[in-house]
Amino acid sequence: MKSYWFDNESGDQREDHDSFRPVDTEYLSKLGVLYYHCPSIDAVNAIAVERSYKHRDEVVISPEKMGAVYEEKVKMFFSEHLHEDEEIRYILDGEGFFDVRSVNDEWVRIRLKKGDLIILPAGIYHRFTTDSNNVHFTSPTSSRMLMQLM
């Protein structure tokens, strides 16, 4: 995981947009964003039990798996939004970015890769995009989240 202030430069959303101004996990936790590195699914399972998650979904975001709707879905995920419940994502393969709004209304970009798990609190404005290589993630979440991703 790597987190930093989004550079707000124009260009493809799937690029790094790294301002070279790092953001540490302490700041992320003040926003309510929790990060874990989980080298195995057993670590994910332990977090799911600890936090009483009952449902899971698995999403593969790639042109091969999504076909003609791929570009539309990637743009939809990148639209700023929030949820009434936590959003939890564990990266099974690939890399992607979650952007979250700071207390000063700036974007913090969080680059996640295989083995990274992120928990976004309810009510935080965020958006998601793949990197240029796409991503495969799973989520130990509520059924509400499962429906939002379909």
Side-chain angles (χ1 to χ4, degrees):
M1 186 275 292
K2 177 181 178 183
S3 56
Y4 49 87
W5 296 102
F6 187 82
D7 69 8
N8 290 313
E9 299 292 325
S10 62
D12 190 321
Q13 69 195 36
R14 291 170 265 204
E15 298 300 322
D16 283 342
H17 289 279
D18 192 342
S19 65
F20 301 100
R21 295 183 301 139
V23 172
D24 62 23
T25 55
E26 183 178 329
Y27 183 81
L28 291 177
S29 70
K30 287 179 184 174
L31 297 176
V33 176
L34 304 176
Y35 166 76
Y36 302 88
H37 182 72
C38 299
S40 72
I41 201 69
D42 291 337
V44 175
N45 291 339
I47 293 168
V49 167
E50 176 185 310
R51 298 180 74 86
S52 301
Y53 300 144
K54 302 206 180 334
H55 303 293
R56 292 182 189 221
D57 64 343
E58 189 169 311
V59 180
V60 179
I61 302 174
S62 73
E64 297 79 23
K65 294 291 184 184
M66 298 179 92
V69 300
Y70 170 74
E71 288 295 332
E72 175 187 331
K73 288 290 186 184
V74 168
K75 287 179 183 155
M76 182 189 78
F77 292 144
F78 198 64
S79 295
E80 180 177 6
H81 61 282
L82 57 80
H83 302 289
E84 294 176 1
D85 299 311
E86 291 182 336
E87 181 165 353
I88 305 92
R89 292 289 169 218
Y90 175 67
I91 308 298
L92 291 167
D93 197 20
E95 297 186 23
F97 303 101
F98 273 92
D99 297 337
V100 297
R101 285 269 180 206
S102 73
V103 294
N104 295 323
D105 210 27
E106 295 178 78
W107 287 114
V108 174
R109 176 152 275 199
I110 306 164
R111 181 190 252 307
L112 299 173
K113 60 185 177 180
K114 183 177 180 173
D116 289 339
L117 184 142
I118 191 170
I119 300 173
L120 303 179
I124 192 170
Y125 283 97
H126 65 280
R127 59 192 183 189
F128 172 80
T129 190
T130 63
D131 70 358
S132 57
N133 298 312
N134 309 307
V135 70
H136 180 194
F137 59 73
T138 185
S139 174
T141 65
S142 69
S143 58
R144 181 182 172 284
M145 288 302 301
L146 182 106
M147 294 187 313
Q148 287 181 339
L149 290 170
M150 295 183 151

